[in-house]
Amino acid sequence: MMFIYFFVFLTGATGLVYEVTWQKYLSRLLGNDTAAVAIILAIFLGGLSLGYYLCGKLTTLVKNHFKGYALLEVAIALWCSYFPNIFSKVESFTRNWSFSPPFLIIFQGLFSSALLMALPTMCMGGTIPFLTRAISRNLVESTRVHARIYAINTAGAFLGTLLAGFYLIPSLGLPLTMAITALGNLGASIFFYLLGMIKGKSQESPLSSESVRIKGLTQLRYPPYILYGIAFLSGFYVMVLENVLIRITNLSLGSSSYSFCMIVAVFILSIACGSFLVERLKTLPRYLLFANQLAITLLLPLVYLSLDTWPYWAHVIRIAFQPNMVGFFGYYTYVFLAMTLVLILPVSLMGATLPIAFHELKEDLKNVGRHSGFLFSYNTIGNLMGSLAGGIVFYYFLNNPGIFLVAIFLSACSTLLSGWHLGRNYYLPALALAILVFFSILYTPFYRIENFMIGTFREMRRLPYSLSGPSNFFKRFHQGQALRFYKDGPSCTVSVIESLKASTKSKKSLAIIVNGKSDSSTTEDIYTLKLSAHLPALLSEKRKKVMVIGLGTGVTAGEMSLYPDIERIDLAEISPTVVKALPYFYQSTYNLHKNPRVKIHIGDAFRILGRSQEKWDIVISEPSNPWVTGVDLLFTKEFYRLVKQHLSEKGILLQWVQIYSASPSMVGMMINTLQEEFKCSHVFIANAGDLLILASNKPFSLKDIERAGETLNQNKKVKASLEEINFNSIDEILIREIWTPSYLFDYFSRFPLQTMDRPSLHYIAGKSFFQEESVPAALLLNQETSSYFPEYLIAMRYKNWQDFPFSQERFNSLLLSVRDKVSGSVLPVASALRLKAHLSNPAKYPLSRLEREEMGVELIPFIRQMPEKEGEWSKIGLEGASFRKKAGVLIARLKYRNWVVPYPIDGLKSLLEQGIKRGKDVYEKNWCSLQLALLLLSERVEKERVEVLLEQAIKGSNGKPILKKGDGVLWQRVNRLLYFK
């Protein structure tokens, strides 16, 4: 019996893994928007419901239920093993379908989803009815068997949820996840088939006599239609509650897959606990179903009263953990325990509903499988309707608190229904309770939406008022901010917040907050938003048609409207609620919402582009951070290939990439994925936290740059807009370039790709967000860039760049442009400009003594050319020092050498060459060899020359250079650059 329940547990786990994986597969066809998710869910739950119904009927016809169930499991295993191939065929078959909302996406989406999921989900519906009938020896024990199977299968689903979200998909990718999961179903099919051969057809024990059957019939307490109605309502309000709590969790923890996994796992585990509880009861009294529903209805208001404090408690839990991987797992473990503590009682009682209803419904042993199938079929139909209503429909009319109260009202209706058959003393109190809850929906008392206007999950450090309690915390947390718009929409929660300190009489400082996270601000993100428009618009050869992905505040699209030759601006926005907020930003968008050239497409951008026949001259992609659920699709190789197909000849893509809450490996993955499709990409820094990638497959020429300058000077509106952020010419834009096409290829090609089959970026990003990672400034502007100097656009414009081609006025203008007017922060290029100016004319562009020491101004002549006499080293205090000491001091100052200041390093190389020959010992000689190898690699010399240099290094018995302790990192770095560059 133990092995039977092990495989029941296993198949429960595989079912949830399939659900998560299918969702990611089908998002390629239908997208990630609300309509697409609803269609996928409808087919998944609809298939389960039909499977429960049909398999329930089959249990009365099949004699060997173990063998029958084994055939269902082998069908699931075979289908899912070949699912990637099946999906590829369906994708090819539907390539010319538009999936256009509202009608075509429904009909075409339902048909495609049914082709892919209907058969396996129907087979999944056989688990409970078939095994309940197979294991039950008599009618008396069938209730416990049914409850045990339901509980164990659901507990397996709990594990499947965590495995899919935290390990399988991030580590293995979609095809391998499907294949490994299918092995579980195949193992179950083999086991149950062999068990069927051993046990033969299902046998009834002596207890299952006709007298027992008649006794069961005479003691039937509820008409079947009442029990089916309760099963339906239970399924309905459970899914309504789950949808609301997913939204509340996203607003409290951040909208990532990890947060989603937490709340779903809590629900599934709690439901399993409820079913286990029924399995342990020796007797089930007459009033138990009513008491169960009444307890749910009374406990849910207690949860409701806590909802608007969840962001506070999430913050308190967050500050208790360090930003590392140990803290990451500890944090989510603690979050899981906290949510379980809050939800375990009401949700476990929901899990007890179906086993109790089954107990009241069963008539005889032969039909227990049929009754189980029918009951679960109605429950799953309720799940389906509740998901659609609670996840979409209700959000057009109500906010989160109202929908939560709707769920309580439905549980009160279920209580009323269960009391109706028991008498007036039961149903009248239930009726009064239902009326009270109904009127509460109209007013949603004891709930402050202001607590959700901006997420606390961005505050990862303890604030002075973090432990002051929810009321005082929110009062101080929102100080200086005013809520101008709030709506829990069908796809996300959107708020518009005004910063009272930054607003002026002429222009308000507004930010749009989506699911608690700021997606853009008219002040803090102004450099990014304006450059996202003007970089491609100025450098593009033509700009008749433009596509902007992600509306946000609308500033980028508004800036594009300043170009009179643009005929149409298409906007792809996944959330209709974000579109509703657009008029609030009219001051910063030039009344974009009234512009006749603008066409807004509501839906998933991947689907909109993929199913369109249009070609655009410019595509601007402004997604949210990759750790946000669904966003990583816009960073895949397949998406960039799609964009390339929909760009006109010589078209340009502008990709916004956030480097805050991001690790270097994340940025490397995103850039390498993009450059797979766009070979001529230039990367610009917009502000301290954002990069802009200007992607094309056509190299930019001097003619393009000069034309951009002329366009800027001739378009007075564009010029006035850019002057607001101290951009007076095209130079102020070009000076922000940090990486060129060759640099991207040389330094990022070793990173993995983000593809639809291996969607790991989102999961890596979630961990980076928790660990507060960011890309260091040293990576953005470093000495390696100096070798790529000729490729920089501003260097192409100024052939005499080495001589510093700017007047004092232009130099001051450039310096002013790289200082953020809002935050006051200065970009790394500012120091490089000051150093370059000083080296060209020390008297005209002086540096302070501290700046000279930090930048190593006195060392640069020694880096450029090695002195002939040892005595000259005394000028920098290194006379008589070892080669390692001298080189080490000079190398330390190379951090200020970059493409802006690309001075030669011949002196340093000569010093290292002498160190290789004349070093005092083998350690110094090998150290000089490795340092020279690194310099040569940064200078883009032939790898063969570096390999010869390393061959000459003195090696030990292991074949590696003999090095001092701690110098091994140099050897690793050389190998990484040499063989992966």
Side-chain angles (χ1 to χ4, degrees):
M1 193 64 73
M2 179 181 67
F3 287 107
I4 292 177
Y5 290 121
F6 167 78
F7 282 103
V8 170
F9 179 89
L10 181 63
T11 55
T14 62
L16 259 292
V17 173
Y18 290 138
E19 182 181 2
V20 176
T21 311
W22 285 335
Q23 168 67 49
K24 291 190 175 293
Y25 266 112
L26 282 157
S27 65
R28 305 184 196 182
L29 289 179
L30 309 181
N32 271 313
D33 53 6
T34 306
V37 172
I39 288 167
I40 296 167
L41 188 63
I43 293 299
F44 184 84
L45 292 175
L48 282 178
S49 178
L50 184 58
Y52 287 133
Y53 182 83
L54 294 177
C55 291
K57 280 196 167 185
L58 280 174
T59 58
T60 62
L61 304 175
V62 173
K63 293 182 179 180
N64 193 316
H65 294 91
F66 284 125
K67 281 188 177 181
Y69 179 62
L71 293 176
L72 295 176
E73 285 296 330
V74 78
I76 296 170
L78 290 174
W79 183 272
C80 294
S81 296
Y82 289 96
F83 186 86
N85 296 325
I86 297 170
F87 177 80
S88 179
K89 299 294 183 184
V90 172
E91 188 177 34
S92 177
F93 174 69
T94 61
R95 187 157 293 158
N96 295 322
W97 292 11
S98 67
F99 292 99
S100 300
F103 299 111
L104 287 181
I105 192 173
I106 294 175
F107 295 113
Q108 294 176 340
L110 286 173
F111 180 75
S112 302
S113 301
L115 283 178
L116 292 165
M117 293 192 298
L119 178 62
T121 52
M122 286 168 59
C123 292
M124 290 177 189
T127 303
I128 294 176
F130 262 88
L131 293 183
T132 298
R133 177 64 187 91
I135 298 172
S136 298
R137 294 174 301 170
N138 56 69
L139 192 61
V140 174
E141 73 170 10
S142 62
T143 297
R144 298 187 67 184
V145 169
H146 178 271
R148 190 182 303 128
I149 292 170
Y150 180 37
I152 294 173
N153 193 250
T154 306
F158 160 73
L159 179 63
T161 301
L162 297 180
L163 275 177
F166 281 82
Y167 176 71
L168 290 174
I169 294 175
S171 302
L172 305 180
L174 302 184
L176 192 54
T177 295
M178 291 293 289
I180 290 176
T181 308
L183 290 177
N185 296 99
L186 184 61
S189 69
I190 294 171
F191 171 79
F192 283 112
Y193 191 83
L194 293 175
L195 188 63
M197 292 179 64
I198 295 169
K199 288 185 174 287
K201 66 178 182 178
S202 302
Q203 299 292 325
E204 298 181 8
S205 72
L207 286 175
S208 59
S209 62
E210 187 69 15
S211 61
V212 173
R213 186 187 70 82
I214 294 172
K215 184 179 179 182
L217 284 173
T218 58
Q219 291 187 351
L220 189 65
R221 298 163 183 168
Y222 290 91
Y225 67 86
I226 288 183
L227 296 172
Y228 292 145
I230 292 172
F232 173 84
L233 283 174
S234 175
F236 195 105
Y237 68 69
V238 165
M239 293 308 296
V240 171
L241 281 171
E242 186 173 331
N243 274 287
V244 175
L245 291 175
I246 286 171
R247 298 288 290 272
I248 298 290
T249 303
N250 286 341
L251 290 168
S252 304
L253 305 179
S255 183
S256 72
S257 289
Y258 297 118
S259 301
F260 174 82
C261 283
M262 285 296 99
I263 189 65
V264 173
V266 168
F267 254 78
I268 293 174
L269 180 63
S270 299
I271 287 172
C273 289
S275 191
F276 270 121
L277 181 63
V278 175
E279 191 266 341
R280 303 304 300 171
L281 293 176
K282 293 183 179 180
T283 59
L284 280 69
R286 172 183 172 85
Y287 56 83
L288 185 59
L289 185 59
F290 173 82
N292 172 263
Q293 298 302 296
L294 180 62
I296 294 170
T297 308
L298 294 176
L299 286 170
L300 285 177
L302 298 179
V303 178
Y304 170 83
L305 292 174
S306 75
L307 290 180
D308 63 357
T309 67
W310 280 31
Y312 170 74
W313 297 115
H315 170 67
V316 170
I317 295 172
R318 177 62 188 87
I319 62 177
F321 292 90
Q322 294 293 318
N324 52 42
M325 285 309 297
V326 174
F328 174 82
F329 288 107
Y331 168 71
Y332 278 107
T333 300
Y334 204 94
V335 164
F336 175 79
L337 294 174
M339 289 197 295
T340 302
L341 183 66
V342 173
L343 298 174
I344 185 70
L345 283 178
V347 181
S348 63
L349 291 174
M350 296 173 199
T353 300
L354 286 187
I356 297 172
F358 171 79
H359 175 75
E360 301 293 345
L361 183 64
K362 64 182 182 181
E363 299 176 6
D364 55 31
L365 186 61
K366 180 181 179 180
N367 287 291
V368 292
R370 183 172 67 88
H371 293 318
S372 174
F374 286 9
L375 195 68
F376 271 87
S377 179
Y378 282 104
N379 181 256
T380 309
I381 292 172
N383 289 156
L384 169 60
M385 300 300 293
S387 295
L388 297 177
I392 303 173
V393 178
F394 289 164
Y395 278 102
Y396 285 101
F397 310 101
L398 299 168
N399 282 336
N400 282 327
I403 298 173
F404 194 97
L405 288 169
V406 167
I408 301 177
F409 172 73
L410 292 173
S411 71
C413 291
S414 183
T415 306
L416 179 63
L417 194 60
S418 61
W420 192 268
H421 193 64
L422 299 178
R424 180 177 296 184
N425 292 337
Y426 290 89
Y427 73 77
L428 285 181
L431 178 61
L433 186 60
I435 293 171
L436 177 63
V437 176
F438 177 80
F439 282 105
S440 297
I441 296 171
L442 305 177
Y443 302 101
T444 60
F446 311 112
Y447 186 99
R448 290 179 56 83
I449 62 170
E450 293 84 359
N451 294 356
F452 295 94
M453 68 184 194
I454 185 167
T456 60
F457 51 82
R458 298 301 297 269
E459 292 294 338
M460 302 183 183
R461 302 292 179 179
R462 179 175 175 176
L463 302 173
Y465 47 89
S466 288
L467 303 179
S468 61
S471 180
N472 187 58
F473 173 85
F474 287 118
K475 182 179 179 181
R476 298 184 63 181
F477 186 69
H478 297 142
Q479 195 169 9
Q481 299 174 325
L483 183 63
R484 301 305 182 200
F485 171 84
Y486 182 94
K487 174 60 181 166
D488 295 314
S491 59
C492 60
T493 294
V494 176
S495 58
V496 175
I497 297 176
E498 180 182 356
S499 175
L500 301 178
K501 295 179 180 178
S503 293
T504 63
K505 291 183 179 179
S506 59
K507 187 173 288 188
K508 294 180 178 179
S509 174
L510 299 171
I512 188 162
I513 313 296
V514 179
N515 285 337
K517 177 198 167 294
S518 176
D519 266 4
S520 65
S521 163
T522 58
T523 52
E524 294 177 3
D525 295 309
I526 194 62
Y527 284 85
T528 302
L529 297 174
K530 289 198 175 197
L531 285 173
S532 293
H534 297 301
L535 254 176
L538 291 171
L539 287 166
S540 180
E541 192 169 313
K542 63 175 183 176
R543 47 180 172 267
K544 288 187 177 181
K545 293 196 295 184
V546 177
M547 163 64 82
V548 180
I549 297 171
L551 175 58
T553 55
V555 170
T556 297
E559 294 293 318
M560 295 299 293
S561 70
L562 299 179
Y563 295 87
D565 53 334
I566 291 180
E567 297 175 355
R568 195 175 80 195
I569 302 172
D570 290 299
L571 275 164
E573 173 53 52
I574 198 168
S575 169
T577 316
V578 171
V579 177
K580 286 183 179 180
L582 180 60
Y584 288 87
F585 301 97
Y586 73 96
Q587 290 180 328
S588 300
T589 63
Y590 310 100
N591 284 302
L592 182 72
H593 61 292
K594 296 180 180 179
N595 194 315
R597 290 183 293 167
V598 174
K599 183 177 181 181
I600 299 178
H601 307 264
I602 297 177
D604 183 87
F606 194 93
R607 186 184 70 234
I608 291 170
L609 259 70
R611 303 299 166 175
S612 173
Q613 303 302 315
E614 295 281 350
K615 284 185 178 288
W616 291 274
D617 302 307
I618 298 171
V619 173
I620 301 171
S621 181
E622 296 185 311
S624 189
N625 299 65
W627 60 262
V628 176
T629 301
V631 169
D632 61 329
L633 194 67
L634 300 182
F635 290 98
T636 59
K637 188 177 187 295
E638 291 84 353
F639 173 73
Y640 292 129
R641 183 183 301 151
L642 188 61
V643 171
K644 186 169 67 174
Q645 293 169 356
H646 287 274
L647 280 172
S648 61
E649 187 180 1
K650 300 180 181 180
I652 294 175
L653 163 68
L654 190 287
Q655 176 70 62
W656 177 358
V657 172
Q658 297 88 353
I659 55 174
Y660 63 93
S661 301
S663 63
S665 60
M666 268 181 61
V667 175
M669 177 183 286
M670 289 187 278
I671 288 177
N672 190 33
T673 303
L674 184 144
Q675 72 165 356
E676 279 282 305
E677 298 297 328
F678 293 93
K679 304 300 182 184
C680 300
S681 299
H682 295 256
V683 181
F684 295 77
I685 184 168
N687 59 34
D690 296 322
L691 299 182
L692 299 174
I693 306 176
L694 193 66
S696 172
N697 277 310
K698 172 193 79 78
F700 293 102
S701 64
L702 180 60
K703 182 180 178 181
D704 295 324
I705 299 168
E706 295 300 334
R707 185 181 61 249
E710 292 173 6
T711 301
L712 177 56
N713 291 329
Q714 293 171 3
N715 191 321
K716 294 182 179 179
K717 290 183 178 179
V718 171
K719 190 170 181 63
S721 175
L722 288 173
E723 284 175 350
E724 291 178 4
I725 53 174
N726 294 327
F727 285 14
N728 299 309
S729 72
I730 193 65
D731 293 342
E732 277 78 4
I733 296 177
L734 300 182
I735 197 65
R736 290 175 174 249
E737 185 178 2
I738 59 170
W739 297 325
T740 66
S742 296
Y743 182 93
L744 298 182
F745 177 78
D746 287 346
Y747 284 88
F748 293 105
S749 295
R750 62 187 175 87
F751 288 94
L753 299 176
Q754 161 76 354
T755 67
M756 289 185 168
D757 279 348
R758 291 296 302 268
S760 56
L761 177 64
H762 170 71
Y763 302 95
I764 297 172
K767 294 173 182 176
S768 295
F769 171 66
F770 180 87
Q771 295 179 90
E772 304 176 57
E773 293 184 299
S774 61
V775 176
L779 181 64
L780 304 176
L781 192 64
N782 52 55
Q783 75 114 355
E784 283 83 4
T785 61
S786 58
S787 301
Y788 301 84
F789 163 74
E791 286 188 355
Y792 284 84
L793 299 183
I794 198 168
M796 292 169 60
R797 190 178 192 204
Y798 294 98
K799 298 300 182 183
N800 59 337
W801 181 262
Q802 297 283 5
D803 303 323
F804 195 71
F806 301 118
S807 65
Q808 177 88 50
E809 181 182 1
R810 291 294 304 123
F811 170 69
N812 291 336
S813 179
L814 285 173
L815 272 185
L816 187 62
S817 72
V818 294
R819 178 182 292 276
D820 194 308
K821 290 182 66 175
V822 179
S823 67
S825 62
V826 179
L827 298 181
V829 73
S831 298
L833 281 170
R834 288 173 57 79
L835 178 58
K836 181 170 182 60
H838 177 79
L839 293 177
S840 68
N841 192 332
K844 188 175 181 181
Y845 303 103
L847 294 173
S848 68
R849 181 179 62 83
L850 289 176
E851 287 176 321
R852 289 172 60 86
E853 290 179 359
E854 174 62 24
M855 296 181 183
V857 173
E858 282 73 22
L859 303 179
I860 291 176
F862 292 82
I863 296 173
R864 284 175 163 172
Q865 185 175 354
M866 182 179 170
E868 296 181 0
K869 298 179 179 180
E870 179 65 25
E872 294 184 44
W873 288 99
S874 63
K875 296 177 183 179
I876 56 175
L878 291 175
E879 183 179 8
S882 67
F883 289 103
R884 177 166 183 160
K885 175 67 174 176
K886 291 174 182 175
V889 171
L890 299 184
I891 289 170
R893 290 301 180 270
L894 287 181
K895 64 181 179 180
Y896 287 99
R897 176 178 181 259
N898 47 61
W899 77 267
V900 181
V901 200
Y903 54 80
I905 56 172
D906 296 336
L908 177 56
K909 288 191 286 187
S910 296
L911 177 65
L912 290 170
E913 287 171 351
Q914 287 196 15
I916 295 171
K917 297 176 182 177
R918 297 162 45 198
K920 65 178 181 179
D921 55 30
V922 65
Y923 299 113
E924 185 173 51
K925 291 178 180 181
N926 282 345
W927 182 87
C928 290
S929 294
L930 295 179
Q931 291 289 3
L932 182 57
L934 287 173
L935 287 180
L936 293 176
L937 288 170
S938 71
E939 292 288 291
R940 305 176 70 189
V941 302
E942 296 82 1
K943 291 183 178 180
E944 289 77 10
R945 182 179 170 187
V946 178
E947 289 172 345
V948 170
L949 176 66
L950 295 178
E951 278 294 321
Q952 296 172 353
I954 303 170
K955 299 180 177 63
S957 58
N958 59 0
K960 296 180 180 179
I962 301 171
L963 299 169
K964 281 187 175 181
K965 186 178 181 180
D967 288 345
V969 66
L970 290 175
W971 174 246
Q972 294 172 5
R973 188 178 172 196
V974 168
N975 274 277
R976 186 171 66 248
L977 291 175
L978 185 61
Y979 297 110
F980 296 101
K981 191 173 175 181

